[in-house]
Amino acid sequence: MRADLATFKRGVMFAILSARVQFPRVPDQCEELHKLGKEAKCLWGHKFGAYVYLEEHANQIWQETIQEYNTAKALYILTRIPGLGIVKAAFVLQMLGHDIACLDIRNIERDGRNPDAFKLKKKPDKQFRIRIAKYISETQGKAQFYWDRWCMEVAVSYGSTAEAISLDHVNAIVRKGLRGHSAAPMTTAEIPF
């Protein structure tokens, strides 16, 4: 995602498409989006606005985000995308290598957190930077913990393995449609890390 604008866009849209959707549907929605663009049925509600905004502003957001190593500032940059709140922006940063976790609904419920603690208002208010700082203080350094736990829980829910769930992310974002052509999905043995 740091090296390729198209991959960055797919990663952002993966995060956006994953909101309020059962995980196994997200990779298929990514493929639908790749094939149909703004005509894709998966672009409902705020997801359509996020897609249109990203199509117009992706290069600027990508450049600013990959050049910013301060997690709070990078998080702020990404939340300019309509519909990409703190939690999903943190997911994008996690995929970009920041050691920050995504507190999705599974993690929020498991930890007994307030589900509204990090929601954004339509326009940033004076508490916005405070919420970003609080989010970072609660999740920085915990990316692997939350990722591993989430993948294990999702795997159990859908009769899969944690490794396969993790790999579904890679295949949906990096491999499918990479630079305009499809490639065979990766296997766990092919993961370069």
Side-chain angles (χ1 to χ4, degrees):
M1 288 176 59
R2 284 187 174 278
D4 181 69
L5 175 60
T7 306
F8 172 80
K9 287 168 52 175
R10 283 192 303 277
V12 171
M13 288 310 302
F14 185 98
I16 290 167
L17 291 173
S18 70
R20 298 188 177 115
V21 173
Q22 292 177 331
F23 176 75
R25 295 179 56 209
V26 180
D28 292 337
Q29 289 184 349
C30 289
E31 187 63 21
E32 175 193 10
L33 184 61
H34 175 71
K35 289 178 181 174
L36 301 177
K38 67 181 181 180
E39 303 302 319
K41 291 181 181 178
C42 60
L43 294 177
W44 46 269
H46 74 276
K47 297 176 184 192
F48 180 80
Y51 175 79
V52 170
Y53 184 88
L54 191 60
E55 285 298 296
E56 186 174 327
H57 303 283
N59 190 51
Q60 178 184 354
I61 292 170
W62 176 58
Q63 290 290 336
E64 290 177 17
T65 303
I66 64 172
Q67 292 172 14
E68 185 56 69
Y69 287 92
N70 177 296
T71 301
K73 290 178 182 177
L75 197 58
Y76 186 80
I77 291 165
L78 287 172
T79 59
R80 292 193 320 231
I81 300 170
L84 192 66
I86 293 172
V87 172
K88 292 298 183 178
F91 181 35
V92 172
L93 289 180
Q94 184 178 12
M95 291 186 286
L96 285 165
H98 288 256
D99 193 0
I100 185 172
C102 174
L103 294 179
D104 76 331
I105 194 66
R106 282 180 183 269
N107 287 322
I108 286 171
E109 288 175 355
R110 191 165 222 280
D111 290 351
R113 295 174 181 272
N114 175 357
D116 297 325
F118 302 110
K119 287 192 176 172
L120 300 179
K121 303 201 185 301
K122 296 239 183 229
K123 294 182 180 178
D125 61 4
K126 35 187 166 170
Q127 297 298 312
F128 182 61
R129 290 187 191 272
I130 294 170
R131 281 195 296 277
I132 285 178
K134 185 176 187 323
Y135 188 92
I136 291 169
S137 74
E138 292 185 22
T139 65
Q140 195 157 31
K142 299 175 183 173
Q144 183 172 353
F145 167 79
Y146 278 104
W147 180 260
D148 290 347
R149 185 174 80 175
W150 186 90
C151 287
M152 284 186 264
E153 289 180 6
V154 171
V156 169
S157 296
Y158 295 109
S160 187
T161 65
E163 293 80 9
I165 295 297
S166 185
L167 190 58
D168 284 344
H169 291 74
V170 176
N171 284 329
I173 296 166
V174 177
R175 297 294 290 187
K176 288 194 176 182
L178 181 61
R179 296 192 180 117
H181 63 277
S182 290
M186 283 182 153
T187 65
T188 51
E190 295 174 303
I191 298 175
F193 45 86

